[in-house]
Amino acid sequence: MYQYAQERYRLHGVDTERAMEALRHIPVSIHIWQGDDVTGLESSGEALSGGIQVTGNYPGKARNFEELKADFLKAAAHIPGCKRISLHACYAVFDGNRADRDALRPEHFKPWVDFAREHGFALDFNPTFFSHPMVKNNLTLASPDEEVRAFWIRHGIACRRIAAYFAKELNTHSVCNVWIADGYKDLPADRMAPRLLLKDSLDQIFAEDLPGVIDCVESKVFGIGLEAYTVGSAEFYLGYTAANPKVYNLLDSGHYYPTETIADKISALLCFRDKVPLHVTRKMHWDSDHVVTLSDELRDIAQEIVRCDAADKVLIGLDYFDGSINRVAAWAIGARNMQKALLQALLTPNETLRKMQAENDLTGLLFLQEEIKTLPFSAVWEEYCRREGVIPGAAWFDNVKAYEQNVLLKRGSYEHF
Ligand code: RNT
Ligand code: ZN
């Protein structure tokens, strides 16, 4: 099957061996929060809140650090390719050294560094500006309450230092991404003042020079309960990074108007920036964070990364959380789809297509783009999985189902403290 596929692709000038080799080196940062519905390990009893929501109550959710690590490894065993882990500050591991968000230190993440090192993962980071009593009136970094704002500025600074620690310990960069939900449910009278406060907060957070940290800011159209106004809008952050070129714009595929896609934004940003971090998710009418499927949108995102020759510039991260299905399967299904989309992109005769566009052969372009959709992709995908030591076909799912029976369903409900 693979040899047949190799031959078919070769007829279009595509080298399947080169495509698989390239894919092996494209890192995908897998978000830890699919494992426990963004609960985190603080055990504060604080429910997920602050402009972010998860739905579903499927049994077997990871209740602590050990379970989360075990579930992650179970999912990772079914995901081919180069994997990083994206952590959130609420996943600090306390061992008699509990600290509030504004006082988090690298030591609270040492257990994650040990885990990452043991299994060969790099670590990315996200400060957690939600699910905390210091989120007051739906505001953090844009709060007019100086006590609130100062608390979250300290959190941002603490998190960047933790990302720097990841970078140093694991000898690679660490993406540190600021997303805040700050906004208003109904029409505000003053849209400017919160933005000026946010600008000042970010200036304070990013003041320190921290090697290895790739700082970024994530915009959003609106949040749940914050429908009228979002302080950190796309234009606000584009302006911020234009004025502060050390900071990058992270594109979340769920954070734009429904017909907008981030695929089109990648080349636009790459004209000006050497890094474009992503949160790849799937919106369903809104920023619903459904498990990533092999949709046209995902394939377009992957195509753009490959066509812009930007595999080292676009920093792929996943960001979805579905609590209504088996979470380990959700992790693996979405991450495998990201890999599939990248492989399909790498198996595209981009030189030929580019030439057709340049020569205005738009009929040929349409013809060939459709023709390649039915090339024997699955044979190359299966070969890639096999070489990566990952079960290629549906049998991986049986393995996850067995884990559900033997491990997940034996867990009790989440322990609140
Ligand atoms: C929320 C943002 C944000 C979160 C994670 C958990 O809309 O996308 O990135 O999903 O930080
Ligand atoms: Zn996101």
Side-chain angles (χ1 to χ4, degrees):
M1 289 281 280
Y2 173 64
Q3 274 166 10
Y4 167 74
Q6 191 176 22
E7 199 45 46
R8 289 297 312 277
Y9 278 102
R10 206 198 314 272
L11 291 175
H12 286 284
V14 172
D15 183 341
T16 53
E17 291 291 321
R18 252 180 69 185
M20 287 189 285
E21 184 54 23
L23 182 54
R24 275 192 342 109
H25 295 105
I26 302 179
V28 174
S29 197
I30 302 171
H31 55 312
I32 202 68
W33 51 93
Q34 167 58 64
D36 70 342
D37 309 346
V38 209
T39 303
L41 301 174
E42 294 163 316
S43 304
S44 58
E46 187 82 11
L48 186 65
S49 63
I52 182 166
Q53 188 60 269
V54 65
T55 49
N57 195 22
Y58 198 82
K61 164 167 124 168
R63 296 165 299 173
N64 53 49
F65 183 45
E66 294 308 317
E67 291 179 355
L68 192 57
K69 282 190 297 183
D71 292 0
F72 182 84
L73 288 177
K74 184 43 84 176
H78 300 301
I79 302 166
C82 174
K83 294 172 276 292
R84 304 172 62 94
I85 304 179
S86 182
L87 291 177
H88 237 287
C90 60
Y91 289 86
V93 183
F94 300 127
D95 180 18
N97 56 356
R98 175 173 295 277
D100 205 350
R101 296 259 180 94
D102 65 332
L104 288 173
R105 292 185 303 278
E107 69 188 62
H108 300 122
F109 290 86
K110 181 171 183 301
W112 282 112
V113 168
D114 294 342
F115 176 66
R117 194 177 279 131
E118 184 185 345
H119 298 281
F121 302 123
L123 295 175
D124 294 313
F125 205 43
N126 301 260
T128 311
F129 292 97
F130 51 81
S131 305
H132 191 280
M134 279 301 270
V135 179
K136 297 229 168 110
N137 306 321
N138 299 320
L139 295 167
T140 61
L141 294 178
S143 173
D145 179 335
E146 277 303 309
E147 202 192 322
V148 170
R149 195 165 76 93
F151 176 89
W152 291 111
I153 290 170
R154 288 196 299 277
H155 178 58
I157 291 170
C159 285
R160 289 188 68 236
R161 290 179 183 161
I162 291 162
Y165 159 74
F166 290 163
K168 185 160 165 279
E169 289 294 314
L170 300 169
N171 206 17
T172 165
H173 68 266
S174 182
V175 174
C176 186
N177 170 53
V178 169
W179 171 71
I180 60 167
D182 292 34
Y184 284 94
K185 180 182 171 77
D186 219 331
L187 298 173
D190 185 352
R191 290 168 182 268
M192 183 83 171
R195 289 191 167 132
L196 289 172
L197 286 170
L198 176 54
K199 175 175 178 288
D200 178 74
S201 300
L202 294 174
D203 287 348
Q204 293 188 49
I205 289 173
F206 295 130
E208 191 177 0
D209 212 21
L210 289 170
V213 179
I214 298 181
D215 286 301
C216 45
V217 283
E218 177 182 6
S219 73
K220 192 162 176 172
V221 180
F222 77 95
I224 189 156
L226 303 157
E227 288 82 1
Y229 166 75
T230 296
V231 186
S233 62
E235 293 74 15
F236 173 85
Y237 284 131
L238 276 173
Y240 189 83
T241 59
N244 299 275
K246 282 190 189 153
V247 183
Y248 294 92
N249 294 99
L250 180 142
L251 305 175
D252 182 305
S253 52
H255 287 196
Y256 297 87
Y257 288 100
T259 58
E260 255 184 295
T261 136
I262 64 161
D264 182 63
K265 303 180 193 299
I266 291 171
S267 57
L269 283 180
L270 283 173
C271 291
F272 304 97
R273 309 307 315 269
D274 62 343
K275 297 273 179 292
V276 180
L278 304 183
H279 269 183
V280 179
T281 187
R282 177 164 55 109
K283 57 180 181 270
M284 180 81 77
H285 308 299
W286 69 294
D287 182 41
S288 58
D289 291 299
H290 279 64
V291 177
V292 166
T293 55
L294 190 56
S295 62
D296 283 351
E297 186 171 355
L298 182 70
R299 287 148 43 116
D300 285 345
I301 292 168
Q303 284 288 11
E304 285 303 313
I305 296 170
V306 170
R307 286 175 172 168
C308 295
D309 196 16
D312 55 342
K313 298 186 178 123
V314 178
L315 309 171
I316 305 169
L318 303 176
D319 179 13
Y320 53 81
F321 32 101
D322 191 338
S324 72
I325 56 176
N326 179 309
R327 296 169 185 82
V328 177
W331 247 331
I333 291 168
R336 284 172 73 101
N337 282 332
M338 187 71 241
Q339 290 278 317
K340 284 182 193 165
L342 287 166
L343 186 56
Q344 288 190 348
L346 290 160
L347 290 170
T348 304
N350 282 318
E351 274 318 309
T352 312
L353 293 168
R354 218 189 307 268
K355 197 158 162 274
M356 286 170 147
Q357 179 180 325
E359 291 167 358
N360 204 38
D361 179 7
L362 303 183
T363 314
L365 190 58
L366 177 64
F367 156 73
L368 188 53
Q369 281 185 313
E370 290 307 298
E371 190 65 17
I372 56 183
K373 282 184 180 169
T374 49
L375 289 180
F377 167 72
S378 66
V380 186
W381 166 250
E382 285 172 11
E383 180 65 16
Y384 173 67
C385 285
R386 225 171 273 122
R387 292 186 192 183
E388 283 285 294
V390 164
I391 304 170
W396 75 264
F397 188 69
D398 298 337
N399 186 285
V400 170
K401 287 300 278 183
Y403 185 70
E404 174 170 297
Q405 282 306 317
N406 301 333
V407 180
L408 301 181
L409 292 180
K410 299 208 166 123
R411 289 178 187 162
S413 61
Y414 184 71
E415 297 148 8
H416 278 292
F417 293 89

